[in-house]
Amino acid sequence: EESELPLKLPEMDDFKPGDDPAGCLARAKDWRYFQKDNDPKWYARETNTMPQWAGSCWYYFRFTDPKNAEAAFGATADEAWMPVDLYVGGAEHAVLHLLYARFWHRVLFDLGYTKHKEPFKKLVHQGMILGTDGEKMSKSRGNVVNPDDIVNAQGADALRLYEMFMGPLEAVKPWQTSQVSGVVRFQNKLYSVVKAAVNSDAAMDDETEKILHKTMKKVTEDIESMGFNTAISALMVLTNHLLGLKDQVPKEAAEKLALMVSPMAPHLGEECWNMLGHEDSLAYHPWVEY
């Protein structure tokens, strides 16, 4: 009955989902089952009232103010952090998250909880990675590639680098495990370059300085535009040039190289940065300037 609204939820010590598909509210027997006045019939309240993606539709708000015990998020956090600068999601998320997230956001806007009418400034759909047979990965097709296997065999950085090096972010691309070895060789070359620079006092020659600044400009612009594959290509060119200098690698060039590779291969970047004599994480160091 409308007169009974709003319906208050029961206090529960344990509201874990459990195994019952009816949800945790099904365990609150005294709340779930009830009788109406002058009616001997028993009624049961619906307990599975909210879809599983409901929380994910507004989680970005909570991220702005995670320790707020009085509200889901405050006006100060909304002003400081919203709207979201970049939303990256595949085409399959267009309905299951993007559409619903915008719906929930507009409701919160209409109710005055946020001053921002739209939730996201920019949308990018990443392309799907297909199986080695060129088909969508599926257990029934037997073409699923488990990323854990790649990480265990060749490391997380190799997995990241290969995924980004496969092609443009928005493109659909087939996975080829045999090609991961190519980025592993690049990692090894880069490590060798940095190792050679550790005890080097070589000065920067004109050609190296020109290639270095060209690379810094290219990588900076490509990361901003999410052109990770071409950024990695530029790093490969620089690495090959520095490798040709043998034990005359300028330390400054090696430091810039470690900084530039770190967004794509953070473990490698940190290892190289530490090897060059820095105790603090490179995450706290300013980005390269060209």
Side-chain angles (χ1 to χ4, degrees), residues 39-50:
D39 186 350
K41 184 178 179 181
W42 282 89
Y43 295 87
R45 291 189 170 99
E46 175 59 60
T47 59
N48 195 1
T49 60
M50 190 171 290

Side-chain angles (χ1 to χ4, degrees), residues 50-75:
M50 190 171 290
Q52 52 86 15
W53 39 258
S56 71
C57 286
W58 64 276
Y59 69 89
Y60 50 88
F61 274 121
R62 186 60 181 172
F63 280 176
T64 68
D65 205 0
K67 296 182 180 180
N68 191 331
E70 304 299 324
F73 58 96

Side-chain angles (χ1 to χ4, degrees), residues 61 73-75 78 105-116:
F61 274 121
F73 58 96
D78 178 58
H105 187 99
R106 295 299 289 266
V107 169
L108 292 171
F109 172 77
D110 289 345
L111 293 174
Y113 287 104
T114 175
K115 63 176 291 185
H116 305 285

Side-chain angles (χ1 to χ4, degrees), residues 149-200:
D149 295 336
I150 307 299
V151 172
N152 292 334
Q154 292 164 309
D157 279 353
L159 174 65
R160 290 189 188 93
L161 282 168
Y162 177 63
E163 282 187 316
M164 288 182 272
F165 189 58
M166 290 172 70
L169 179 65
E170 299 87 353
V172 176
K173 306 168 283 285
W175 179 272
Q176 299 293 337
T177 301
S178 60
Q179 294 182 7
V180 179
S181 59
V183 296
V184 173
R185 288 194 295 271
F186 162 60
Q187 287 181 283
N188 293 339
K189 287 181 180 180
L190 191 149
Y191 186 87
S192 297
V193 164
V194 173
K195 188 176 181 180
V198 170
N199 297 314
S200 174

Side-chain angles (χ1 to χ4, degrees), residues 13 17 23 38 40 47-49 64 90 96 100 110 115 120-121 129 144 158 172 200 213 241 253-254 272-273 275:
D13 294 328
N38 303 317
T47 59
N48 195 1
T49 60
T64 68
L96 293 178
Y100 293 127
D110 289 345
K115 63 176 291 185
F120 314 118
K121 286 184 178 180
I129 295 180
V144 174
V172 176
S200 174
H213 280 264
H241 170 78
C272 291
W273 191 248
M275 191 162 55

Side-chain angles (χ1 to χ4, degrees), residues 203-247:
M204 185 92 67
D205 62 88
D206 291 342
E207 183 183 5
T208 299
E209 186 174 21
K210 181 178 179 180
I211 294 174
L212 176 61
H213 280 264
K214 182 179 178 181
T215 304
M216 290 191 292
K217 182 176 187 296
K218 175 68 174 170
V219 171
T220 300
E221 293 175 348
D222 284 352
I223 289 178
E224 285 294 327
S225 64
M226 305 189 81
F228 304 116
N229 59 317
T230 49
I232 294 170
S233 293
L235 290 173
M236 289 178 171
V237 172
L238 174 61
T239 299
N240 285 335
H241 170 78
L242 295 177
L243 197 64
L245 300 180
K246 298 182 180 179
D247 60 349

